[in-house]
Amino acid sequence: MELLPNIIFSVILIIALGFFVINIKRLRRNINFGKGQTETIDDSPQRWKNMIRIALGQSKMARRPIAGILHIIVYLGFIIINIELIEIIIDGIFGTHRMFSSIGVLYGILIGLFEIFAILVLIAVLIFWTRRNLSRIKRFYETKMMGWPKLDADLILYFEIVLMSLFLLMNATDVEFQNMNNGNLISGLIYPFFEGFSSETLHILERSFWWSHIVGILIFLNYLYYSKHLHIILAFPNTFYGSLENSGKLNNIKSVTNEVNIMMGKTSESDTLDDINFGASDVKDLSWLQLLNAYSCTECGRCTSSCPANITGKKLSPRKIMMDVRDRIEEVGRNIDKNGWFKDDNKKLLGDYISKEELWACTSCNACVEECPISINPLSIIMDMRRHLIMEESSAPNELNNMMNNIENNGAPWPFNQQDRLNWNE
Amino acid sequence: MSRLKIKTIEDFQNDGTSPETLFWIGCAGSFDDRAKRITKAFVRILNSANISFGVLGKDESCTGDPAKRAGNEFLFQMQAMTNIETLNSFDIKTIVTTCPHCFNTIKNEYPSLGGNYDVYHHTQFINKLLEEGRFSIKGGTYKGKKITYHDPCFLGRANKEYSAPRNLIKKLDAELSELKRCKSKALCCGAGGAQMFKESEKGKTEINIERAKEIKENTSKIVATGCPFCNTMLTDGTKSFEENKKVEVLDIAELIVKAKDL
Ligand code: SF4
Ligand code: SF4
């Protein structure tokens, strides 16, 4: 009977990790559904540097100082406090109690640090909640943000509040730990509130907090897949694979190069065997990197709040583009889960999620790309969808057709004669 | 106005020589009345520094940028390959241009199609001349005056060039007064991504009007920029300013020409 808690703990742990692995596999499968062209990804050391600087070092967050500093606190707290998980899991499996406390002073320093971070995170998260719900910052209130995205954002904050509180309470009700007086910096201040409690009651409380804390963490772990909070994992690969080139460079489609070479008589060989799609109308036409981008998006809205089209009231919102892509690939994923393969559902990213009006409003200014704290590129998706509109559907606004006709016929976007190119010097 | 001294690459070839650089004029610089003045200003600078430069004349054609950003990759690559063939046949090594869109396209998108050149925006080129001691800028005209600068997206964010134009403004002894959104946070003028050639989508306001509001808050009477399209958009956006708020939108090359009375 004594082993029962250990067994229960191990079973819960295995189930939680099992679900997590299943979700990660589904994520991989969905991301690989993207068949579009990516630039060759070299293994430049710069990639590691970018990942360490942008994801781990949060270098871009400081562009908005208040949110940036708060985010860094929560993030550091999250990482540091999770070191404590190692002990919790060992204790859980082997039925020990504070396995590492024997290391003495160092243990006190660590736990003390965890406790300080726990309280800092609590404060930061409360400010986040206030910012989001009371001061109604504009970028949190786009139509696309209503419903689940809003609930998701709040749930994450509630999760953090509950987990941090449980961590401190679990320490505060641990009589043995309090008597050690080693590292109970914050919980030592809470302890007096439990003064009148009998030692049994305290023990029961401590156990309940301990169990709730670890079960809460495991639930949170499995919540990630369904949440924008997935970015705590995906920010890493996403910044690693982020473009190393000038953001002004838009990829040249290779299959087009081949066709143009044939047209110009440079080659007669067609090396594109399968029927090719130019541009993207649905998630399968996007690249795995663009889909990874969509799953990584934190829905922070930094892109949208700096988008000139959005600022001036156009429908385009780069954040919405990313959220639409994720919603659509999730829909495709559920379709595959159900049927074993993708059964045509007569829906498309273009039209059912993203409208032409949104796509044509983009000025390709790169503000969204520049602002994104984790190297997401909404512009590349917008461009690929425009490519589909023009090259597959021939549906461009009329003025653009005129502009393109001019380029084709006289080498300038306006109807001037190429022979007159030096007339400016008359 | 009298004609400026220019030579085409063909002229150079006929003389059996080759110029130090090609000046890629671009469609706006060739055909748009406002942008032509920028072309001329830069030619005056090149001539006063005794730079041997050539132009392509009737052999120049659109880089394909507006087609590419509208989504017409076919047309873009047709244009790109034709231009690359021309450039390579003249054995061009160095290109300078007054248009950030041409600059971006030739610099970033031509190499993988076989066009590899040393590409400069004219503000970078002028800085290079200053460094090499081949050209100098005198303050005088603008001493102590406030000038603000609008970052073109395709020079700034797209190619991370924020300092070359600013350095030139400082050389004019002017006081550079930044707009609220500047450098990597600069607001677009609204022309990029082929928007220049179409009506904008329905919205509360136009992008150039939004940018003009910011220009008005800044009290400079001169708005410097380095892009013919930004120039047009901002000139339009600011033209409704009341008489005492009027601003002049000028390319950095034009500021230098005025200061030196070239
Ligand atoms: S590139 Fe397009 S979507 Fe991105 S900020 Fe600029 S206008 Fe908006
Ligand atoms: S794309 Fe980047 S900036 Fe935009 S909402 Fe997502 S994470 Fe934020």
Side-chain angles (χ1 to χ4, degrees):
Chain A
M1 267 331 261
E2 256 161 43
L3 280 178
L4 194 60
N6 311 15
I7 295 172
I8 295 178
F9 181 88
S10 305
V11 170
I12 293 179
L13 186 67
I14 290 170
I15 293 178
L17 293 179
F19 266 115
F20 183 65
V21 171
I22 291 174
N23 277 338
I24 293 288
K25 283 192 171 156
R26 185 182 297 154
L27 183 65
R28 268 190 70 118
R29 181 201 64 194
N30 288 359
I31 286 176
N32 284 324
F33 193 71
K35 297 284 179 277
Q37 172 194 327
T38 37
E39 294 289 272
T40 7
I41 308 268
D42 53 23
D43 50 0
S44 146
Q46 188 59 41
R47 297 198 174 278
W48 293 100
K49 284 189 204 148
N50 281 356
M51 186 172 89
I52 290 169
R53 191 171 49 89
I54 306 173
L56 199 62
Q58 314 238 310
S59 59
K60 284 240 171 152
M61 292 301 289
R63 283 174 80 87
R64 313 233 172 160
I66 301 172
I69 291 167
L70 292 173
H71 187 269
I72 288 171
I73 292 173
V74 175
Y75 173 70
L76 275 182
F78 181 83
I79 294 196
I80 291 175
I81 296 166
N82 274 340
I83 301 175
E84 166 71 357
L85 265 188
I86 304 172
E87 185 184 48
I88 293 180
I89 290 174
I90 292 177
D91 282 347
I93 296 175
F94 300 105
T96 45
H97 185 68
R98 295 195 182 259
M99 179 73 180
F100 297 149
S101 56
S102 54
I103 57 176
V105 188
L106 181 63
Y107 187 75
I109 295 175
L110 277 176
I111 299 281
L113 194 67
F114 300 159
E115 290 201 348
I116 289 177
F117 264 109
I119 201 77
L120 286 177
V121 170
L122 260 178
I123 296 169
V125 167
L126 285 172
I127 300 176
F128 273 148
W129 187 89
T130 318
R131 271 165 59 87
R132 196 171 272 277
N133 291 283
L134 302 182
S135 51
R136 296 190 71 93
I137 289 176
K138 194 173 155 253
R139 65 183 153 106
F140 299 139
Y141 285 89
E142 192 184 315
T143 336
K144 181 79 187 175
M145 293 303 287
M146 295 302 124
W148 169 246
K150 164 93 175 67
L151 181 64
D152 178 31
D154 284 335
L155 275 178
I156 293 165
L157 297 178
Y158 299 142
F159 255 117
E160 308 246 12
I161 293 174
V162 170
L163 289 177
M164 291 301 122
S165 307
L166 284 171
F167 175 71
L168 289 174
L169 285 171
M170 147 191 133
N171 285 354
T173 49
D174 188 337
V175 184
E176 223 175 292
F177 171 67
Q178 291 300 331
N179 287 340
M180 279 195 299
N181 212 4
N182 184 15
N184 54 341
L185 288 180
I186 306 292
S187 60
L189 303 175
I190 310 174
Y191 182 49
F193 290 100
F194 294 100
E195 206 142 23
F197 289 52
S198 72
S199 58
E200 286 98 78
T201 320
L202 276 179
H203 182 70
I204 293 173
L205 279 176
E206 190 270 338
R207 283 293 87 195
S208 337
F209 293 143
W210 188 92
W211 277 95
S212 315
H213 177 248
I214 183 66
V215 170
I217 287 180
L218 294 174
I219 292 176
F220 198 35
L221 179 73
N222 279 293
Y223 174 73
L224 293 184
Y225 178 80
Y226 307 95
S227 163
K228 66 162 184 151
H229 217 56
L230 193 52
H231 75 271
I232 62 165
I233 301 174
L234 295 189
F236 290 88
N238 206 69
T239 48
F240 182 86
Y241 290 117
S243 170
L244 301 179
E245 311 204 62
N246 287 333
S247 62
K249 177 176 173 181
L250 179 56
N251 69 320
N252 295 327
I253 303 180
K254 290 195 191 92
S255 44
V256 170
T257 311
N258 192 60
E259 302 273 312
V260 172
N261 273 330
I262 295 173
M263 272 191 270
M264 293 180 70
K266 288 189 179 166
T267 174
S268 54
E269 304 268 316
S270 175
D271 63 15
T272 36
L273 300 168
D274 36 8
D275 59 332
I276 15 168
N277 264 327
F278 297 119
S281 62
D282 206 354
V283 284
K284 71 167 187 327
D285 310 322
L286 294 173
S287 71
W288 62 265
L289 186 53
Q290 288 167 320
L291 297 183
L292 173 65
N293 273 192
Y295 272 116
S296 310
C297 175
T298 72
E299 299 171 15
C300 68
R302 281 170 172 73
C303 50
T304 293
S305 71
S306 59
C307 169
N310 193 275
I311 289 172
T312 54
K314 319 291 190 296
K315 269 202 185 137
L316 173 62
S317 155
R319 166 174 59 191
K320 176 180 171 292
I321 301 280
M322 301 318 298
M323 292 172 73
D324 284 339
V325 171
R326 180 168 176 175
D327 287 349
R328 175 59 182 157
I329 185 63
E330 271 297 294
E331 184 177 55
V332 167
R334 285 192 300 273
N335 182 318
I336 299 175
D337 286 339
K338 204 170 115 207
N339 302 304
W341 77 96
F342 178 64
K343 195 170 148 209
D344 193 7
D345 57 358
N346 281 319
K347 274 186 167 178
K348 284 227 153 99
L349 182 61
L350 179 65
D352 293 303
Y353 287 82
I354 300 174
S355 66
K356 292 183 195 174
E357 184 178 342
E358 291 163 69
L359 296 171
W360 289 121
C362 175
T363 70
S364 70
C365 73
N366 266 305
C368 52
V369 180
E370 184 81 35
E371 281 309 313
C372 181
I374 53 171
S375 312
I376 288 172
N377 188 338
L379 174 59
S380 81
I381 295 175
I382 295 172
M383 282 300 144
D384 279 341
M385 295 184 76
R386 277 191 183 182
R387 285 165 164 175
H388 173 89
L389 285 177
I390 294 247
M391 293 190 285
E392 299 283 343
E393 293 186 13
S394 305
S395 99
N398 244 335
E399 306 111 297
L400 287 190
N401 283 329
N402 290 340
M403 177 270 287
M404 292 186 288
N405 281 336
N406 287 328
I407 294 182
E408 209 171 329
N409 297 327
N410 41 275
W414 301 287
F416 291 106
N417 195 323
Q418 192 166 355
Q419 298 303 317
D420 297 339
R421 280 225 169 220
L422 277 184
N423 288 6
W424 58 268
N425 196 24
E426 291 301 318
Chain B
M1 224 191 259
S2 62
R3 291 176 70 159
L4 298 169
K5 198 183 92 202
I6 50 167
K7 267 172 94 174
T8 62
I9 298 286
E10 230 176 331
D11 296 337
F12 276 95
Q13 277 206 330
N14 293 338
D15 299 348
T17 54
S18 56
E20 176 180 338
T21 184
L22 169 76
F23 174 19
W24 181 278
I25 296 174
C27 301
S30 306
F31 296 122
D32 178 84
D33 285 335
R34 177 66 189 87
K36 285 183 203 170
R37 304 215 303 267
I38 302 170
T39 308
K40 288 180 184 162
F42 186 54
V43 168
R44 288 200 168 87
I45 291 172
L46 290 171
N47 281 341
S48 95
N50 273 320
I51 306 299
S52 109
F53 70 95
V55 298
L56 283 175
K58 59 178 177 28
D59 290 326
E60 192 184 288
S61 187
C62 175
T63 58
D65 162 80
K68 187 177 181 82
R69 276 156 183 86
N72 196 337
E73 183 72 6
F74 268 106
L75 182 53
F76 162 70
Q77 291 202 14
M78 293 285 284
Q79 287 298 116
M81 289 200 203
T82 314
N83 284 326
I84 290 169
E85 252 178 25
T86 311
L87 292 166
N88 290 352
S89 74
F90 287 125
D91 204 21
I92 300 295
K93 299 272 185 298
T94 306
I95 300 176
V96 60
T97 177
T98 46
C99 173
H101 294 263
C102 299
F103 168 72
N104 176 69
T105 305
I106 302 177
K107 182 185 162 80
N108 297 317
E109 288 156 6
Y110 278 18
S112 76
L113 298 172
N116 292 286
Y117 319 100
D118 241 348
V119 191
Y120 295 88
H121 183 249
H122 65 306
T123 57
Q124 297 174 321
F125 197 80
I126 299 172
N127 266 292
K128 188 165 93 92
L129 296 180
L130 291 177
E131 271 162 37
E132 293 166 354
R134 301 162 76 190
F135 185 68
S136 64
I137 296 179
K138 278 197 295 291
T141 324
Y142 298 107
K143 199 173 171 72
K145 286 207 176 129
K146 270 173 80 178
I147 296 182
T148 191
Y149 174 70
H150 164 85
D151 286 276
C153 301
F154 280 79
L155 183 63
R157 269 188 299 273
N159 289 290
K160 300 196 179 58
E161 183 57 87
Y162 304 110
S163 63
R166 286 182 168 76
N167 188 38
L168 296 178
I169 294 175
K170 284 181 195 143
K171 283 266 153 50
L172 288 167
D173 276 345
E175 185 199 328
L176 172 61
S177 161
E178 296 285 3
L179 293 170
K180 214 154 71 202
R181 288 172 278 196
C182 65
K183 298 181 186 163
S184 68
K185 294 186 177 175
L187 185 76
C188 175
C189 72
Q195 296 295 343
M196 183 73 188
F197 305 98
K198 62 185 261 299
E199 287 300 313
S200 53
E201 277 54 40
K202 207 159 91 304
K204 292 195 304 263
T205 177
E206 296 296 332
I207 297 173
N208 60 339
I209 301 291
E210 171 77 16
R211 188 57 160 166
K213 271 202 298 203
E214 217 170 329
I215 292 175
K216 201 171 187 177
E217 278 166 29
N218 182 295
T219 50
S220 307
K221 293 278 186 254
I222 295 172
V223 183
T225 188
C227 171
F229 295 100
C230 295
N231 197 310
T232 303
M233 294 307 267
L234 298 182
T235 306
D236 282 354
T238 55
K239 76 176 167 230
S240 61
F241 286 7
E242 310 83 52
E243 209 45 57
N244 59 343
K245 291 267 163 54
K246 282 266 182 271
V247 296
E248 208 179 353
V249 182
L250 290 169
D251 193 273
I252 293 190
E254 295 177 299
L255 290 171
I256 295 174
V257 165
K258 281 198 175 182
K260 292 197 59 153
D261 201 16
L262 294 174

